[in-house]
Structures are given as structure tokens and as C-alpha cells.
Amino acid sequence: MQTRSETHDVIVCGGGLAGFCAAVAAARHGAKVALVQDRPVLGGNASSEICVTVHGAAGFHAYSRETGILSEILIEERARNHAEINENGWTNSVFDQVLYDLARRTPNLTVHLNTAVHDVLLGNDEISGLADEARRPQPDTTHGYYRRPPCAPRRRIAAVVARVANAELELTLRGKTFIDCTGDGLVAHLAGCGWKMGSESKEQTGEVHAPAKASTNTMGNSIHIRARDIGRPAPYTPPSWIKKIPDADFFHKRGRGLYDLRGGFWWIEIGMPWHTIHDNETIRGELTAWALAVWDWIKNHDETTKHRATNYALDWIGQVPGKRESRRIDGLYEFNEHDIQANIALPDEIAYGGWFVDLHTPGGLLAEHSEPMAGEGYQADSEYGAKSYVGPYGVPLRSHIAADLDNLLLAGRCLSATHAALGTVRVMATVALVGQAVGTGAALALEKQLPLSALPEAPHIAELQQRLLRDGCFLPNLRHQDAADLARTARVSASSHALSHGVGPDDPTQLGDIGWGSGAAGLPKGSASWPLNRLAAQWIAVSGGRLDRVSACLDNLTGAPRTIRARLTRPEHIWDYRRELPLLAETTLTVPVGEKRWIEWPVALAALPDGFVRLELVAESPEAAPGWRSSRRILQGQLAAWAMSPKKLRRLDPGLSLAFRVEPPQPVYGPEQVLSGVTRPHRATNLWRSDPGQPLPQWLELSWPERRTIREVQLTFPGHLLREIHAYPPFFRDPQTPRDYVIEAWVDDAWREVHVEKGNYQRLRRHTFPAPVTTKRIRVVVQATNGDASAMIYEVRCHV
């Protein structure tokens, strides 16, 4: 066995999306970084080895897709990849190569693949954590779940020791700061950190989703399958050792839907009675036997699938189980479901989540049903569904700083959190944001010579948050306040700007309206209207203070005129789903018989603050209710929702609009929006959009009363926010994103080009000029988009 040593500033252990984003972020902020990954590819559960689709807040909230490094990756993957994404099981090697390419191109970053950490050296005397483990207390179940108390012999990690597969090489990687992104919290465990594994009880935590009794049970591990239509019959003969499916009810009545012959079955899952860490290989074998049994049932037994599956062949079966849950490491703060349900604005917010509280039933395939929501048939308006629908909520840094070591950060599912909180915060898009945050924090702490424990405190947390915002991240409770940004003192003007008139039922679909459809949280199948036997609501962006009239387009096919109740309320932002909001106006309206009837309401409101109002409609008589027509045109930031419970609304999939009009038209896409400090719709549209009736090119200008010296301009464009990644087709380049543009400076009484960009499709672009430019005026001229008629920009920043 050969040995080799390396020294870096930051050692990131684990190359899933959390670890990858942590490593890239730390390297981009000047730290010398080593990324250690035990598999031959990067991406963890998202890689082509495991093939879990990247999920996050946009699965449930319009315009909430995660940005930053993750967005850069996913935009690039869709632009390059020839293959569609069909839920779990369909990731191909293009995704892996996008990650590997970015890693290879990132200065300061060294990547070690096929390299598994097996020991930790602690303190200046480099005590082996592995050797010391035998003297440490074993996990006990006094509280019902596994609990290993803190037992670190030293407060600092000096190095990790790893073996390179098939190389007979042992690496010792020394560093100043370590980030555990292993999922199982292996580095923290070997170093002696305290941890929990299993579920706390409702009596212990008081959380809505906590079970009545604490236990060692965890969510299970999964493998996935992929099938293809080969155009001719493809018989399947299963091996003799597969599991036996009892009957069709095992699938159709227990939340294991055979919804797509191609695969994507997340419920091929097993945990208890096995340990998700120590029995991982046993679980893999059991999952393989179950996965083949599922395919055998689809091909040879199920009356609803076997004829349709005649030409389908099993193309791939995963052999690396994807894990959902194991150790949760003690941090400076235990994130909990109370924080999430109350949507508390935490002072050390460094990321956000918005996936539902997705706690799979322990045992998976061995349990009565797979997951409570699936077991209910995804009844979005059920009591369980209502309490599980959360976010977007902030995620704290303190939960990602190890309590028992001075130089260890955490990212991924091994964070300090309760089992119930883990149900939502564990998904990959969320942990990727956290990874970028802790990587940025690690670099900041090294740069400022700070202990990690100081990062969540003022003034350091504000600096970290502003760095994340500058790097394209979004934080729900913060906005850009970087004093070094010269754009904040500029006056903004534009060649034109769009007005919001509303949308009609016959407006054409926009190129960017990917994934428009119906479903459990959308319109009833086959319908163009939302039935008003249940309340529906439309967010309407307002600006300028005056709103004279609102109208809604309704269908009344009941055979008689019907009465509806109408309310206009004031939400704080586009994810303010509370039923009870400040009331601006209310009335009853009569809907005559017929289709596409425009019902007008003269609201006569003045002195309205800029932001959003919400038009809410519901039938007086639910038994004979009109329907509110939908529109295939989506107005940026103006979404619709429906009442899923007496206290809560839920977005209409996929962020579509219901047909409405406003008078006068609202100037909500003006050029001043690019200085709002927010780079997506939230409390306002925050978007400059040129008049689509005027041809490109269109320009946006920043001007100052005195000359400014500018070396760098940063632009944030729209696109890739509305839906999750799998809603977007192969080779996708968002039509809303400017493709060709020029940055010009006013020099010597003429416009001079300082940067020319062709072929862009990324959302965040940072352009550094060859030499500083001294000017009173800078403008961005959008010459062409990737398909939209309007030029659009969320933010412009200017730096020396």
C-alpha cells in the first residue's frame, strides 16, 4: 500500500450535490479545496448510478426553484442533454459529466474520485478516530431512538485518511476546515461527535409529524429501474429468487402507483428491520429482488399494465441504494418542524426549503403503505396533505456547524435536525443550497480568521448572506444590500416596459410555459376551468397606487345564473397562502349562464402600495358552482392557488394563472425593478420586462450624476424558476433568457461596447472588463432572446 499526503484549506468529504456545491463555492471564494468522493462519479443520489431526480421547493411553489451553483448545473445539463428527465431512474451520464466538467474547470479545486474516507486524525497529536472508536460509548436507545453522546478526544480534526479504490493508495488529507457531506455523517462519527438516528416522539418534540412513540426506525433506501419501448414484443422471465407480490392491492390500494411503464417508482424502498448504514448491502440485495418482482408484475400479471407493457424491456436497474436517512449530527442548533410550520425568520438563514414534509413509512415495501400522502392517493386537500404542505422556509447555519468540533461543518441529510424536519429539508435541491452556503462560510471564516462558531453571529452572518445573494442564491427573508454595488445609487431607465393587463382564456401559450397541465394540485383532468365549489385565488401585481376594476372570466354551465362571493385581499408575497389576510374589498357577483363570461367588479381602490393583491372567488352554492377559466399564458409572478384547508391555500400546478383583467393596466415590470434587491418574484415582480409589442433590441440604462469607475457588471436574467428541472425538455434554453446582448458605456459622448455576449442561456452572468471604465452611464442592450418577445432582467450590479 502506497501512501501520499496533501494539504488544503478545506476538505469536503462526500461528492453529492451538497458536497459538490460546498467544494465549488469554497474554491471560488479563494480557498484551496479537496473534494473526496467514494464513487466514480459526482452527484450522489442525483448521479447516473442512483438516478434520483433533483427535487426542491419548486415541486410545490411557483418561482421557487433553487438558484446559485445548483441552478448553473441544472441549466447546463438541460442545454446539453439529449434525453428527457422522467422522474427517478432516468438520469444519464450527461449529468455526471456536467458536474465533472465544472469541477475540472474550477481553480483551487482538487477532486479525488473512487476515494473512501475510513479514518479521521484528531488534534495536533493526530489521534486516530478509528482506533479510538472501541473506547467510545456505543449508541443507546434510552430515548427510543439511537443516541451516541459526544466523545471526541480532541476539538479539531487534523486530517482525514482515505483509500483510493483499485489503486493500492492511501491518502492523508490535512486541512484547516472540514465539511462532512457524506450523508451518513461518517467524518463526524469517526471524530466523536454526538448524533441521533431514528425518530423522536410527539411527547419529546411536540411536532405535528412526530409519531406517538419514539423508535430507531428511519426512512428506507431505494434503487430504481428504467424500461424502454423497443418497438416489438419483449418477453420477461424473472429469476426464481424474486419476491412474491401478494395481489394487485399491494400497488393500487397502498400508494405504490404503477403510473409510468418506464419506471420512476420512488417507493421501491426498504429500511427497517435493517440498519440503513450497517445493513446497506443486505438492503441492496433485498431491493433488487423486490425491483425485479415489480417489473415481473407489470409485465406478466397486472391487468392494467401487462398489455400496455408488451413492447417494454427492462433497460437498467440501479445497484447503488440511495439513502434518505441515517445519522443526524449534533449542531449548534437543532432545526425542527416548529421552525418550518411557523416559517420563522431565523437570523442565520443561509438557504431555504419548500418540499413537503415527506416522511416515508418505515419499512417501505414491507409496510402497509409506502408514504402517507401516496397511501391517500395524493389527496392534496386531506388533513395530512394540508399539514405537510410547508414553505418556502429559511434554513439556519447553526444546524450545519458541529457542536463538538471547532473546525467541522455539515451539509446534506446529516445536519442537526429532528426526524420530522428532515422529512422536508433532506431533498437534494435544498441541501445543494446549504452546501453552497457552508462552502462560502468556510472560505469566509478562513479569510477573516474566524472560528466557525462566530459565523452565525453579527456582523459575519450578514456578510455571508450578502455573498450568497451576490452569487445568485435567494434568501426569503433578505435582500441585496451590498454597499459596494454602484448600481444601488443609479437612476434606471429603459427603452420600454410592459404593462400588466391580465390574461385571457384564449391567450396563446408562451414558449417558456413548460409543463402546463392538470393534476392533483392543478385543474380537474380534462377541464379548462377551476370549479368554484372550492375557493380559488389569483395573485395580481399592482403598482402606481390605483386599481379601478378587476374582472374574471367564468363558465356557468349550471343552467341558471349563479352568485359568487368575491374578496380582494393583501398578501405579503406570492407564497403567502394564509386564508385570512387584510381585506381590501368584498362583494357578491352574479354569473350569467354561458361560457367565458367576463364578470366585472369596480373595486375603485386608490393609494395601493406596490406589490400584490389577491382576487378570491367562491360559489355561494357549492352544489351548482361556476368555473374560473384558466389561461395558458403565464404572467411572471402572478400565480393562482386554491383552498386546500380552512386555513391554507395551495398553488395551482404549475404556477398557472386564472383568467383576469385589471383596469388600468399595471406598470409592474418597470426598469426600477432591477434595483429591488431580489432576483425573482416575491413581494413584487422584481423584473424589468420590455414591451412585447416593440421589436428587439431593447435596452436598460443605469446613470449617475457623477462619473463612476466600473470594472464588473453582473446580470441576473429570468428563466428556470417556475418549475422543477424535470419539467424541461432536452436541449432546453429558456426563452425568457437573453441570448445575445451588449454592455455599453457612455464614453466621450458616444456609446462604446465594453462587452459583447452571444449564445447565452445561463441565468447569472458576471462580466469583468479588460480595463476599468469611467462613465456616468451604462446600459445593457438585449439584441435577441432564446425565444421570448420581451427583453427581461431581474438585477444589474456594478462593481469596481
Side-chain angles (χ1 to χ4, degrees), residues 611-639:
F612 290 96
V613 297
R614 196 168 78 193
L615 176 62
E616 302 171 4
L617 303 180
V618 66
E620 286 275 12
S621 174
E623 295 77 20
W628 193 345
R629 274 277 177 162
S630 65
S631 175
R632 288 183 175 268
R633 178 168 293 276
I634 294 174
L635 284 176
Q636 287 86 352
Q638 304 188 60
L639 63 146

PDB file of all heavy atoms in Angstrom, residues 611-639:
ATOM      1  N   GLY A 611     -46.925  45.936  -4.974  1.00  0.00           N
ATOM      2  CA  GLY A 611     -46.810  44.554  -4.519  1.00  0.00           C
ATOM      3  C   GLY A 611     -47.864  43.700  -5.177  1.00  0.00           C
ATOM      4  O   GLY A 611     -47.986  43.689  -6.407  1.00  0.00           O
ATOM      5  N   PHE A 612     -48.650  42.981  -4.373  1.00  0.00           N
ATOM      6  CA  PHE A 612     -49.689  42.100  -4.901  1.00  0.00           C
ATOM      7  C   PHE A 612     -50.996  42.301  -4.147  1.00  0.00           C
ATOM      8  O   PHE A 612     -51.004  42.623  -2.957  1.00  0.00           O
ATOM      9  CB  PHE A 612     -49.278  40.623  -4.757  1.00  0.00           C
ATOM     10  CG  PHE A 612     -48.155  40.213  -5.665  1.00  0.00           C
ATOM     11  CD1 PHE A 612     -46.847  40.215  -5.206  1.00  0.00           C
ATOM     12  CD2 PHE A 612     -48.405  39.830  -6.974  1.00  0.00           C
ATOM     13  CE1 PHE A 612     -45.811  39.831  -6.036  1.00  0.00           C
ATOM     14  CE2 PHE A 612     -47.376  39.455  -7.812  1.00  0.00           C
ATOM     15  CZ  PHE A 612     -46.069  39.464  -7.352  1.00  0.00           C
ATOM     16  N   VAL A 613     -52.092  42.109  -4.861  1.00  0.00           N
ATOM     17  CA  VAL A 613     -53.386  41.873  -4.244  1.00  0.00           C
ATOM     18  C   VAL A 613     -53.821  40.475  -4.669  1.00  0.00           C
ATOM     19  O   VAL A 613     -53.276  39.896  -5.623  1.00  0.00           O
ATOM     20  CB  VAL A 613     -54.440  42.924  -4.652  1.00  0.00           C
ATOM     21  CG1 VAL A 613     -54.019  44.304  -4.180  1.00  0.00           C
ATOM     22  CG2 VAL A 613     -54.677  42.913  -6.156  1.00  0.00           C
ATOM     23  N   ARG A 614     -54.809  39.936  -3.966  1.00  0.00           N
ATOM     24  CA  ARG A 614     -55.262  38.583  -4.285  1.00  0.00           C
ATOM     25  C   ARG A 614     -56.770  38.596  -4.494  1.00  0.00           C
ATOM     26  O   ARG A 614     -57.524  38.988  -3.606  1.00  0.00           O
ATOM     27  CB  ARG A 614     -54.884  37.624  -3.161  1.00  0.00           C
ATOM     28  CG  ARG A 614     -54.969  36.159  -3.558  1.00  0.00           C
ATOM     29  CD  ARG A 614     -54.313  35.285  -2.516  1.00  0.00           C
ATOM     30  NE  ARG A 614     -55.152  35.088  -1.339  1.00  0.00           N
ATOM     31  CZ  ARG A 614     -54.716  34.584  -0.189  1.00  0.00           C
ATOM     32  NH1 ARG A 614     -53.435  34.242  -0.051  1.00  0.00           N
ATOM     33  NH2 ARG A 614     -55.537  34.421   0.829  1.00  0.00           N
ATOM     34  N   LEU A 615     -57.188  38.202  -5.686  1.00  0.00           N
ATOM     35  CA  LEU A 615     -58.605  38.083  -6.011  1.00  0.00           C
ATOM     36  C   LEU A 615     -59.067  36.681  -5.654  1.00  0.00           C
ATOM     37  O   LEU A 615     -58.534  35.695  -6.177  1.00  0.00           O
ATOM     38  CB  LEU A 615     -58.828  38.366  -7.493  1.00  0.00           C
ATOM     39  CG  LEU A 615     -60.264  38.191  -8.013  1.00  0.00           C
ATOM     40  CD1 LEU A 615     -61.222  39.156  -7.305  1.00  0.00           C
ATOM     41  CD2 LEU A 615     -60.312  38.382  -9.524  1.00  0.00           C
ATOM     42  N   GLU A 616     -60.075  36.597  -4.748  1.00  0.00           N
ATOM     43  CA  GLU A 616     -60.565  35.308  -4.267  1.00  0.00           C
ATOM     44  C   GLU A 616     -62.034  35.159  -4.648  1.00  0.00           C
ATOM     45  O   GLU A 616     -62.844  36.044  -4.381  1.00  0.00           O
ATOM     46  CB  GLU A 616     -60.409  35.212  -2.747  1.00  0.00           C
ATOM     47  CG  GLU A 616     -58.971  35.402  -2.274  1.00  0.00           C
ATOM     48  CD  GLU A 616     -58.861  35.520  -0.757  1.00  0.00           C
ATOM     49  OE1 GLU A 616     -59.910  35.374  -0.076  1.00  0.00           O
ATOM     50  OE2 GLU A 616     -57.750  35.758  -0.267  1.00  0.00           O
ATOM     51  N   LEU A 617     -62.374  34.033  -5.258  1.00  0.00           N
ATOM     52  CA  LEU A 617     -63.745  33.761  -5.675  1.00  0.00           C
ATOM     53  C   LEU A 617     -64.190  32.398  -5.159  1.00  0.00           C
ATOM     54  O   LEU A 617     -63.420  31.432  -5.187  1.00  0.00           O
ATOM     55  CB  LEU A 617     -63.866  33.773  -7.204  1.00  0.00           C
ATOM     56  CG  LEU A 617     -63.443  35.040  -7.957  1.00  0.00           C
ATOM     57  CD1 LEU A 617     -63.643  34.849  -9.450  1.00  0.00           C
ATOM     58  CD2 LEU A 617     -64.206  36.262  -7.453  1.00  0.00           C
ATOM     59  N   VAL A 618     -65.463  32.300  -4.741  1.00  0.00           N
ATOM     60  CA  VAL A 618     -66.051  31.025  -4.344  1.00  0.00           C
ATOM     61  C   VAL A 618     -67.550  31.115  -4.561  1.00  0.00           C
ATOM     62  O   VAL A 618     -68.153  32.187  -4.396  1.00  0.00           O
ATOM     63  CB  VAL A 618     -65.707  30.678  -2.877  1.00  0.00           C
ATOM     64  CG1 VAL A 618     -66.357  31.651  -1.900  1.00  0.00           C
ATOM     65  CG2 VAL A 618     -66.079  29.240  -2.555  1.00  0.00           C
ATOM     66  N   ALA A 619     -68.159  30.010  -4.943  1.00  0.00           N
ATOM     67  CA  ALA A 619     -69.588  29.992  -5.218  1.00  0.00           C
ATOM     68  C   ALA A 619     -70.390  30.080  -3.928  1.00  0.00           C
ATOM     69  O   ALA A 619     -70.008  29.511  -2.903  1.00  0.00           O
ATOM     70  CB  ALA A 619     -69.956  28.726  -5.980  1.00  0.00           C
ATOM     71  N   GLU A 620     -71.520  30.770  -3.981  1.00  0.00           N
ATOM     72  CA  GLU A 620     -72.439  30.815  -2.848  1.00  0.00           C
ATOM     73  C   GLU A 620     -73.022  29.419  -2.598  1.00  0.00           C
ATOM     74  O   GLU A 620     -73.237  29.012  -1.460  1.00  0.00           O
ATOM     75  CB  GLU A 620     -73.573  31.813  -3.123  1.00  0.00           C
ATOM     76  CG  GLU A 620     -73.168  33.261  -3.030  1.00  0.00           C
ATOM     77  CD  GLU A 620     -73.220  33.768  -1.592  1.00  0.00           C
ATOM     78  OE1 GLU A 620     -73.338  32.952  -0.669  1.00  0.00           O
ATOM     79  OE2 GLU A 620     -73.131  34.998  -1.404  1.00  0.00           O
ATOM     80  N   SER A 621     -73.296  28.709  -3.684  1.00  0.00           N
ATOM     81  CA  SER A 621     -73.869  27.361  -3.578  1.00  0.00           C
ATOM     82  C   SER A 621     -72.887  26.366  -4.192  1.00  0.00           C
ATOM     83  O   SER A 621     -72.788  26.277  -5.432  1.00  0.00           O
ATOM     84  CB  SER A 621     -75.216  27.297  -4.309  1.00  0.00           C
ATOM     85  OG  SER A 621     -75.702  25.978  -4.315  1.00  0.00           O
ATOM     86  N   PRO A 622     -72.155  25.609  -3.383  1.00  0.00           N
ATOM     87  CA  PRO A 622     -71.166  24.679  -3.929  1.00  0.00           C
ATOM     88  C   PRO A 622     -71.771  23.612  -4.832  1.00  0.00           C
ATOM     89  O   PRO A 622     -71.088  23.085  -5.715  1.00  0.00           O
ATOM     90  CB  PRO A 622     -70.557  24.046  -2.671  1.00  0.00           C
ATOM     91  CG  PRO A 622     -70.846  25.007  -1.565  1.00  0.00           C
ATOM     92  CD  PRO A 622     -72.157  25.637  -1.914  1.00  0.00           C
ATOM     93  N   GLU A 623     -73.057  23.311  -4.664  1.00  0.00           N
ATOM     94  CA  GLU A 623     -73.667  22.261  -5.465  1.00  0.00           C
ATOM     95  C   GLU A 623     -73.874  22.686  -6.918  1.00  0.00           C
ATOM     96  O   GLU A 623     -74.054  21.837  -7.791  1.00  0.00           O
ATOM     97  CB  GLU A 623     -75.027  21.856  -4.861  1.00  0.00           C
ATOM     98  CG  GLU A 623     -74.948  21.218  -3.478  1.00  0.00           C
ATOM     99  CD  GLU A 623     -74.708  22.236  -2.382  1.00  0.00           C
ATOM    100  OE1 GLU A 623     -74.984  23.445  -2.619  1.00  0.00           O
ATOM    101  OE2 GLU A 623     -74.213  21.847  -1.302  1.00  0.00           O
ATOM    102  N   ALA A 624     -73.899  23.973  -7.173  1.00  0.00           N
ATOM    103  CA  ALA A 624     -74.099  24.477  -8.539  1.00  0.00           C
ATOM    104  C   ALA A 624     -73.124  25.630  -8.758  1.00  0.00           C
ATOM    105  O   ALA A 624     -73.499  26.807  -8.738  1.00  0.00           O
ATOM    106  CB  ALA A 624     -75.544  24.930  -8.726  1.00  0.00           C
ATOM    107  N   ALA A 625     -71.883  25.280  -8.956  1.00  0.00           N
ATOM    108  CA  ALA A 625     -70.823  26.289  -8.960  1.00  0.00           C
ATOM    109  C   ALA A 625     -70.337  26.593 -10.371  1.00  0.00           C
ATOM    110  O   ALA A 625     -70.121  25.678 -11.178  1.00  0.00           O
ATOM    111  CB  ALA A 625     -69.651  25.815  -8.115  1.00  0.00           C
ATOM    112  N   PRO A 626     -70.158  27.866 -10.702  1.00  0.00           N
ATOM    113  CA  PRO A 626     -69.448  28.213 -11.939  1.00  0.00           C
ATOM    114  C   PRO A 626     -67.979  27.779 -11.856  1.00  0.00           C
ATOM    115  O   PRO A 626     -67.479  27.382 -10.801  1.00  0.00           O
ATOM    116  CB  PRO A 626     -69.573  29.738 -11.996  1.00  0.00           C
ATOM    117  CG  PRO A 626     -70.645  30.096 -11.025  1.00  0.00           C
ATOM    118  CD  PRO A 626     -70.604  29.038  -9.962  1.00  0.00           C
ATOM    119  N   GLY A 627     -67.303  27.906 -12.968  1.00  0.00           N
ATOM    120  CA  GLY A 627     -65.871  27.608 -13.008  1.00  0.00           C
ATOM    121  C   GLY A 627     -65.087  28.817 -13.452  1.00  0.00           C
ATOM    122  O   GLY A 627     -65.572  29.619 -14.266  1.00  0.00           O
ATOM    123  N   TRP A 628     -63.871  28.978 -12.931  1.00  0.00           N
ATOM    124  CA  TRP A 628     -62.998  30.106 -13.285  1.00  0.00           C
ATOM    125  C   TRP A 628     -62.046  29.632 -14.369  1.00  0.00           C
ATOM    126  O   TRP A 628     -61.265  28.695 -14.161  1.00  0.00           O
ATOM    127  CB  TRP A 628     -62.232  30.554 -12.045  1.00  0.00           C
ATOM    128  CG  TRP A 628     -61.525  31.882 -12.168  1.00  0.00           C
ATOM    129  CD1 TRP A 628     -61.256  32.582 -13.299  1.00  0.00           C
ATOM    130  CD2 TRP A 628     -60.988  32.646 -11.087  1.00  0.00           C
ATOM    131  NE1 TRP A 628     -60.592  33.740 -13.016  1.00  0.00           N
ATOM    132  CE2 TRP A 628     -60.416  33.809 -11.659  1.00  0.00           C
ATOM    133  CE3 TRP A 628     -60.940  32.467  -9.709  1.00  0.00           C
ATOM    134  CZ2 TRP A 628     -59.775  34.770 -10.872  1.00  0.00           C
ATOM    135  CZ3 TRP A 628     -60.315  33.427  -8.937  1.00  0.00           C
ATOM    136  CH2 TRP A 628     -59.742  34.572  -9.502  1.00  0.00           C
ATOM    137  N   ARG A 629     -62.138  30.248 -15.516  1.00  0.00           N
ATOM    138  CA  ARG A 629     -61.323  29.852 -16.655  1.00  0.00           C
ATOM    139  C   ARG A 629     -59.831  30.063 -16.392  1.00  0.00           C
ATOM    140  O   ARG A 629     -59.422  31.068 -15.812  1.00  0.00           O
ATOM    141  CB  ARG A 629     -61.716  30.663 -17.890  1.00  0.00           C
ATOM    142  CG  ARG A 629     -62.867  30.079 -18.659  1.00  0.00           C
ATOM    143  CD  ARG A 629     -62.398  28.987 -19.598  1.00  0.00           C
ATOM    144  NE  ARG A 629     -63.515  28.371 -20.298  1.00  0.00           N
ATOM    145  CZ  ARG A 629     -63.373  27.644 -21.400  1.00  0.00           C
ATOM    146  NH1 ARG A 629     -62.171  27.435 -21.909  1.00  0.00           N
ATOM    147  NH2 ARG A 629     -64.421  27.098 -21.971  1.00  0.00           N
ATOM    148  N   SER A 630     -59.027  29.133 -16.850  1.00  0.00           N
ATOM    149  CA  SER A 630     -57.573  29.275 -16.764  1.00  0.00           C
ATOM    150  C   SER A 630     -57.045  29.907 -18.039  1.00  0.00           C
ATOM    151  O   SER A 630     -57.755  30.030 -19.039  1.00  0.00           O
ATOM    152  CB  SER A 630     -56.922  27.908 -16.566  1.00  0.00           C
ATOM    153  OG  SER A 630     -57.151  27.110 -17.705  1.00  0.00           O
ATOM    154  N   SER A 631     -55.787  30.306 -17.976  1.00  0.00           N
ATOM    155  CA  SER A 631     -55.111  30.858 -19.150  1.00  0.00           C
ATOM    156  C   SER A 631     -53.834  30.082 -19.381  1.00  0.00           C
ATOM    157  O   SER A 631     -53.150  29.690 -18.427  1.00  0.00           O
ATOM    158  CB  SER A 631     -54.776  32.336 -18.947  1.00  0.00           C
ATOM    159  OG  SER A 631     -54.025  32.823 -20.046  1.00  0.00           O
ATOM    160  N   ARG A 632     -53.528  29.860 -20.633  1.00  0.00           N
ATOM    161  CA  ARG A 632     -52.256  29.210 -20.954  1.00  0.00           C
ATOM    162  C   ARG A 632     -51.091  30.196 -20.936  1.00  0.00           C
ATOM    163  O   ARG A 632     -49.943  29.792 -21.055  1.00  0.00           O
ATOM    164  CB  ARG A 632     -52.330  28.521 -22.317  1.00  0.00           C
ATOM    165  CG  ARG A 632     -53.190  27.274 -22.289  1.00  0.00           C
ATOM    166  CD  ARG A 632     -53.183  26.561 -23.625  1.00  0.00           C
ATOM    167  NE  ARG A 632     -53.906  25.315 -23.532  1.00  0.00           N
ATOM    168  CZ  ARG A 632     -53.337  24.142 -23.232  1.00  0.00           C
ATOM    169  NH1 ARG A 632     -52.059  24.091 -22.980  1.00  0.00           N
ATOM    170  NH2 ARG A 632     -54.060  23.037 -23.179  1.00  0.00           N
ATOM    171  N   ARG A 633     -51.388  31.457 -20.800  1.00  0.00           N
ATOM    172  CA  ARG A 633     -50.310  32.444 -20.704  1.00  0.00           C
ATOM    173  C   ARG A 633     -50.007  32.706 -19.240  1.00  0.00           C
ATOM    174  O   ARG A 633     -50.908  32.911 -18.434  1.00  0.00           O
ATOM    175  CB  ARG A 633     -50.691  33.748 -21.402  1.00  0.00           C
ATOM    176  CG  ARG A 633     -49.611  34.833 -21.293  1.00  0.00           C
ATOM    177  CD  ARG A 633     -49.889  35.997 -22.217  1.00  0.00           C
ATOM    178  NE  ARG A 633     -49.759  35.597 -23.607  1.00  0.00           N
ATOM    179  CZ  ARG A 633     -48.598  35.553 -24.266  1.00  0.00           C
ATOM    180  NH1 ARG A 633     -47.479  35.887 -23.648  1.00  0.00           N
ATOM    181  NH2 ARG A 633     -48.550  35.185 -25.516  1.00  0.00           N
ATOM    182  N   ILE A 634     -48.740  32.687 -18.919  1.00  0.00           N
ATOM    183  CA  ILE A 634     -48.303  32.915 -17.550  1.00  0.00           C
ATOM    184  C   ILE A 634     -47.663  34.295 -17.462  1.00  0.00           C
ATOM    185  O   ILE A 634     -46.724  34.602 -18.190  1.00  0.00           O
ATOM    186  CB  ILE A 634     -47.299  31.829 -17.106  1.00  0.00           C
ATOM    187  CG1 ILE A 634     -48.004  30.466 -17.053  1.00  0.00           C
ATOM    188  CG2 ILE A 634     -46.700  32.155 -15.748  1.00  0.00           C
ATOM    189  CD1 ILE A 634     -47.087  29.304 -16.775  1.00  0.00           C
ATOM    190  N   LEU A 635     -48.207  35.117 -16.588  1.00  0.00           N
ATOM    191  CA  LEU A 635     -47.609  36.416 -16.308  1.00  0.00           C
ATOM    192  C   LEU A 635     -46.610  36.257 -15.175  1.00  0.00           C
ATOM    193  O   LEU A 635     -46.966  35.767 -14.093  1.00  0.00           O
ATOM    194  CB  LEU A 635     -48.683  37.421 -15.897  1.00  0.00           C
ATOM    195  CG  LEU A 635     -49.561  37.994 -17.010  1.00  0.00           C
ATOM    196  CD1 LEU A 635     -50.629  38.889 -16.411  1.00  0.00           C
ATOM    197  CD2 LEU A 635     -48.726  38.767 -18.014  1.00  0.00           C
ATOM    198  N   GLN A 636     -45.386  36.684 -15.402  1.00  0.00           N
ATOM    199  CA  GLN A 636     -44.339  36.483 -14.414  1.00  0.00           C
ATOM    200  C   GLN A 636     -44.766  37.002 -13.046  1.00  0.00           C
ATOM    201  O   GLN A 636     -45.107  38.169 -12.884  1.00  0.00           O
ATOM    202  CB  GLN A 636     -43.035  37.167 -14.855  1.00  0.00           C
ATOM    203  CG  GLN A 636     -42.307  36.472 -15.980  1.00  0.00           C
ATOM    204  CD  GLN A 636     -42.806  36.876 -17.347  1.00  0.00           C
ATOM    205  OE1 GLN A 636     -43.805  37.577 -17.478  1.00  0.00           O
ATOM    206  NE2 GLN A 636     -42.120  36.440 -18.378  1.00  0.00           N
ATOM    207  N   GLY A 637     -44.734  36.093 -12.069  1.00  0.00           N
ATOM    208  CA  GLY A 637     -45.025  36.451 -10.691  1.00  0.00           C
ATOM    209  C   GLY A 637     -46.482  36.406 -10.301  1.00  0.00           C
ATOM    210  O   GLY A 637     -46.806  36.518  -9.122  1.00  0.00           O
ATOM    211  N   GLN A 638     -47.392  36.220 -11.263  1.00  0.00           N
ATOM    212  CA  GLN A 638     -48.822  36.309 -10.972  1.00  0.00           C
ATOM    213  C   GLN A 638     -49.435  34.916 -11.098  1.00  0.00           C
ATOM    214  O   GLN A 638     -49.790  34.470 -12.175  1.00  0.00           O
ATOM    215  CB  GLN A 638     -49.475  37.328 -11.904  1.00  0.00           C
ATOM    216  CG  GLN A 638     -48.782  38.694 -11.790  1.00  0.00           C
ATOM    217  CD  GLN A 638     -49.497  39.784 -12.543  1.00  0.00           C
ATOM    218  OE1 GLN A 638     -50.649  40.085 -12.283  1.00  0.00           O
ATOM    219  NE2 GLN A 638     -48.797  40.406 -13.491  1.00  0.00           N
ATOM    220  N   LEU A 639     -49.547  34.241  -9.969  1.00  0.00           N
ATOM    221  CA  LEU A 639     -49.944  32.850  -9.935  1.00  0.00           C
ATOM    222  C   LEU A 639     -51.311  32.677  -9.316  1.00  0.00           C
ATOM    223  O   LEU A 639     -51.893  33.613  -8.776  1.00  0.00           O
ATOM    224  CB  LEU A 639     -48.920  32.030  -9.149  1.00  0.00           C
ATOM    225  CG  LEU A 639     -48.762  32.377  -7.669  1.00  0.00           C
ATOM    226  CD1 LEU A 639     -48.455  31.131  -6.848  1.00  0.00           C
ATOM    227  CD2 LEU A 639     -47.630  33.390  -7.478  1.00  0.00           C
TER     228      LEU A 639
END
